[in-house]
Amino acid sequence: MAKKLKTAANGQGEKMKRKDYEKELRKLQVELCHLQEWVKATGARVIIVFEGRDAAGKGGTIKALSERVSPRVFRVTALPAPSDREKTQLFLQRYIERFPAAGEVIIFDRSWYNRAGVEYVMGFATEEQHKRFLELCPEVEQYIIDGGITLIKIWLEVGQEEQEKRFLKRISDPMRQWKLSPMDLESYRRWYDYSKARDLMLDATDSKHAPWHLVRSDDKRRGRLNCIAHILSSIPYKKVKQAKVELPKRSNKRQYDDLASLEGRHFAKEKY
C-alpha cells in the first residue's frame, strides 16, 4: 500500500505503454516540424534549457524532441567542463556565444545553471560565486528575453527509487555504461545536497519573466510527452503554408550504365 501511495504522490501512476507513447510522440513531432518551419520563416530565436539530476532523463527527452527536425535549426549544445582559458572568462561567456541566431532553437543539455547545481554541490564554485550567480541570473535572463529570445527552462524531476534503478542499469548494460561517470556516482551519494541546491536555485531564479517548469520523469515516456507538449504550448507558432512540391522529371541526357561502373569496387560484406 505504501508503495502505491508513493507512486500516486509522484503523479505518474501506471507507466505508459510503448504503443501509446509512440502514437502520441508522432503527433507531437509533427507539430515540432510545424514549429521548425515557423521559426525559420519568422527568424525566431529560442533557447530551451534542460536541467535535472543525473539520470533524470534529459538525454532521452532531448532526443525525442530533436530526432525528427533539422539539426541546423534545433541545435543541441552539451558543453564539456570548461578549459583553463574558459575558467578565466565571465561565467556566462561560453554559453552566450552559443545563443541562437535568427531561425534557430538552441537546446542546452545542462546550462549556466551548472553553477547552481554540480559546481556548488561539488565545491567547484565558492559560496560567494554561488550567491552572486543566483542574484544576477534573473537580471541576465531578463536581458536575454528583452533581446527578443524566447527562453524556456525545464527541470526534470526524478525520484530516488527511479534514479537508483537507472544507475543500476547503467552499471550492468554495456550500451549505457558510457553515461556513468565518477561525478554521477558522487551525485547519487549526495542526493539531499542536490535537493537543497535545487531548492535554492528555484527560490532565486523561478522568476515571472523566466519561470521554471518542472516535469515528472519517473515514467520516461510520459515525461517526454509532457515536456514536448509544454514547449509547443510556450511558443506562439503558426502553421506555415508550404509550396506544393513535385519531383522533377529525370533527365536522360548523358545517360550511361552507372551500375556497371561499380563492378569490382569494394562493397561492405553483406552479413544481414
Side-chain angles (χ1 to χ4, degrees):
M1 176 63 75
K3 190 172 182 180
K4 287 184 178 180
L5 288 174
K6 186 170 185 179
T7 301
N10 286 340
Q12 294 286 160
E14 183 181 354
K15 292 199 173 182
M16 194 173 199
K17 301 291 190 295
R18 176 178 292 277
K19 185 177 180 180
D20 296 333
Y21 165 72
E22 291 177 348
K23 180 181 178 181
E24 294 304 316
L25 179 61
R26 176 174 174 76
K27 294 177 185 177
L28 293 173
Q29 289 178 333
V30 168
E31 287 302 314
L32 287 169
C33 290
H34 293 324
L35 169 61
Q36 173 177 251
E37 295 308 309
W38 178 84
V39 167
K40 289 162 58 179
T42 62
R45 293 171 293 155
V46 180
I47 292 175
I48 305 172
V49 168
F50 278 93
E51 292 290 344
R53 301 177 191 272
D54 292 309
K58 294 181 292 296
T61 303
I62 291 171
K63 181 181 178 182
L65 174 64
S66 61
E67 66 182 348
R68 298 296 183 181
V69 288
S70 170
R72 294 180 180 85
V73 178
F74 281 74
R75 298 173 178 265
V76 179
T77 299
L79 297 185
S83 65
D84 290 340
R85 180 177 182 275
E86 287 171 331
K87 289 177 183 178
T88 67
Q89 296 175 343
L90 291 172
F91 175 68
L92 277 166
Q93 188 170 337
R94 71 188 190 123
Y95 296 100
I96 291 175
E97 67 182 19
R98 290 167 172 82
F99 277 18
E104 292 180 346
V105 178
I106 303 300
I107 301 169
F108 280 102
D109 183 354
R110 293 200 182 279
S111 65
W112 49 94
Y113 281 100
N114 275 341
R115 175 132 298 180
V118 62
E119 290 191 13
Y120 175 59
V121 173
M122 303 304 294
F124 301 141
T126 65
E127 290 281 349
E128 180 58 31
Q129 287 173 325
H130 177 249
K131 180 181 177 183
R132 184 69 173 153
F133 171 80
L134 293 180
E135 290 174 350
L136 290 178
C137 195
E139 296 179 22
V140 173
E141 291 177 349
Q142 182 70 71
Y143 175 79
I144 292 170
I145 293 165
D146 289 345
I149 294 175
T150 297
L151 176 60
I152 301 169
K153 301 189 305 190
I154 305 290
W155 175 273
L156 296 180
E157 180 64 20
V158 66
Q160 281 194 44
E161 291 182 12
E162 184 61 27
Q163 187 196 50
E164 182 176 356
K165 289 178 185 177
R166 294 176 188 178
F167 273 136
L168 291 173
K169 285 182 180 179
R170 290 182 181 185
I171 291 171
S172 61
D173 186 345
M175 292 190 292
R176 301 185 189 188
Q177 286 172 1
W178 64 272
K179 294 183 176 183
L180 196 64
S181 70
M183 199 69 68
D184 294 331
L185 297 176
E186 189 62 22
S187 74
Y188 175 82
R189 189 174 72 85
R190 300 192 186 200
W191 174 272
Y192 290 107
D193 290 340
Y194 272 91
S195 293
K196 184 61 177 177
R198 175 203 62 195
D199 294 343
L200 290 171
M201 180 195 77
L202 292 175
D203 287 343
T205 65
D206 188 16
S207 60
K208 185 176 180 180
H209 58 274
W212 281 100
H213 283 86
L214 280 62
V215 177
R216 296 190 186 278
S217 63
D218 278 4
D219 183 336
K220 288 183 178 181
R221 293 169 185 163
R222 292 185 194 277
R224 291 169 189 169
L225 296 178
N226 288 328
C227 185
I228 296 172
H230 168 71
I231 290 168
L232 289 167
S233 70
S234 301
I235 303 172
Y237 71 98
K238 296 180 180 179
K239 188 174 180 179
V240 176
K241 188 175 181 179
Q242 299 291 313
K244 187 177 180 180
V245 178
E246 294 183 0
L247 285 175
K249 186 178 179 180
R250 276 204 175 111
S251 171
N252 289 324
K253 191 176 180 180
R254 293 187 288 275
Q255 181 179 6
Y256 72 102
D257 188 350
D258 58 343
L259 294 179
S261 63
L262 297 178
E263 292 181 7
R265 301 292 182 184
H266 298 288
F267 282 85
K269 189 174 181 180
E270 295 184 356
K271 294 184 177 181
Y272 305 98

